Amino acid sequence: MDSNIKESIRNYYEVYFGIGSIYDKLAKKHGITSGVLFVLYVIYENQNNCTQRLICAKLLYPKQTVNTILDSFHKQGYITKRVANSDKRNKYILLTESGKNYAESVLSAMLHLEETAFERMSEEDRQAMMKGERAFLEQLTQFVDELE
């Protein structure tokens, strides 16, 4: 393997693990895991049309992982589930008033941190970051699909 490629992979992991560590720290401040944080984010951002399938698709989490998190949210009174009119097999996940308050208290710090970081970056750097991340994701997805 080309030494430049190896170095790029090392650099990528340094950034990837560093970002993951920041989200872990943010979640830990609220006594949750980053997985719980991200599920909460997806529910909050997709109010009124959020399903377990949507959460799994957006986060690429296994169904059982999402189900465990949703069960915990339900027991804490943060969500309710409503059967979808269009497809009775699907249930919409709705935040209760308590759940909305909880989500806003947890997510506000994360969103503020992200917004501040993006604001401090130039538009060119933001675009380059997204372009590179998307290109890498497309290549990984294509390669994994070929393996299956």
Side-chain angles (χ1 to χ4, degrees):
M1 181 186 304
D2 183 325
S3 65
N4 288 335
I5 296 293
K6 281 185 176 183
E7 186 62 25
S8 292
I9 292 169
R10 279 190 211 92
N11 289 334
Y12 169 76
Y13 277 129
E14 183 179 320
V15 171
Y16 179 81
F17 293 138
I19 291 171
S21 175
I22 289 169
Y23 285 105
D24 287 341
K25 287 176 187 174
L26 282 171
K28 191 174 184 179
K29 286 184 177 193
H30 295 281
I32 59 177
T33 65
S34 58
V36 172
L37 176 72
F38 293 134
V39 169
L40 185 63
Y41 172 79
V42 172
I43 296 169
Y44 187 78
E45 288 295 313
N46 294 280
Q47 293 182 48
N48 301 319
N49 69 342
C50 186
T51 63
Q52 183 171 339
R53 179 175 286 153
L54 175 76
I55 296 168
C56 291
K58 286 202 174 277
L59 298 176
L60 304 176
Y61 286 176
K63 184 178 177 182
Q64 185 57 45
T65 299
V66 172
N67 191 56
T68 300
I69 294 169
L70 293 177
D71 283 347
S72 174
F73 283 166
H74 189 262
K75 287 176 186 167
Q76 295 174 74
Y78 295 150
I79 63 167
T80 61
K81 295 179 183 179
R82 186 189 73 211
V83 175
N85 292 333
S86 58
D87 183 351
K88 304 292 183 194
R89 296 172 294 174
N90 284 321
K91 292 181 183 171
Y92 288 113
I93 300 157
L94 306 166
L95 289 169
T96 62
E97 197 60 37
S98 173
K100 287 178 187 175
N101 292 335
Y102 175 68
E104 288 168 1
S105 72
V106 170
L107 297 175
S108 63
M110 179 181 86
L111 296 172
H112 176 72
L113 184 70
E114 292 167 334
E115 287 173 15
T116 302
F118 270 101
E119 285 173 353
R120 290 180 180 177
M121 295 170 67
S122 70
E123 177 65 22
E124 182 179 286
D125 284 345
R126 288 193 302 264
Q127 294 299 323
M129 180 184 81
M130 294 312 303
K131 182 179 179 182
E133 289 286 327
R134 287 187 196 284
F136 187 55
L137 176 60
E138 286 173 17
Q139 292 303 314
L140 286 175
T141 302
Q142 182 180 347
F143 187 67
V144 168
D145 289 347
E146 290 170 4
L147 292 175
E148 293 177 351

